[in-house]
Amino acid sequence: MGWFYGVKLHLIVNHQCGIVAAKITPANVHDTKPVKDMVVESLDRLYPDKRHIGKALAGDLLYVG
């Protein structure tokens, strides 16, 4: 085969499990790419999975909003 066609659903949820932001990307897009587009100014804190955060994304998120 060698081919996979699919999509990923990226969500940001609040502490009450309410959806704050959502984005659908092709399966070949890295998980950290849509984060900057999804972050809204009303977010006080963002708690990503440890495997999804890197130095570059952490630095970018300090200046978003």
Side-chain angles (χ1 to χ4, degrees), residues 1-4 7 13-16 18-19 22-23 25 27 34 36-39 41 47 51 56 61 63-65:
M1 287 199 187
W3 295 95
F4 175 75
V7 295
V13 296
N14 61 16
H15 65 286
Q16 297 173 334
I19 297 173
K23 187 165 185 122
T25 61
K36 287 188 271 183
D37 296 334
M38 295 171 58
V39 173
E41 292 180 16
Y47 299 102
R51 68 183 178 104
L61 291 176
Y63 301 107
V64 173

Side-chain angles (χ1 to χ4, degrees), residues 18-34:
I19 297 173
V20 176
K23 187 165 185 122
I24 296 175
T25 61
N28 63 348
V29 173
H30 193 270
D31 291 339
T32 60
K33 293 287 183 188

Side-chain angles (χ1 to χ4, degrees), residues 39-61:
V39 173
V40 294
E41 292 180 16
S42 63
L43 291 176
D44 291 335
R45 297 183 184 109
L46 187 64
Y47 299 102
D49 292 338
K50 188 175 183 179
R51 68 183 178 104
H52 288 121
I53 193 76
K55 290 182 181 178
L57 180 59
D60 289 345
L61 291 176

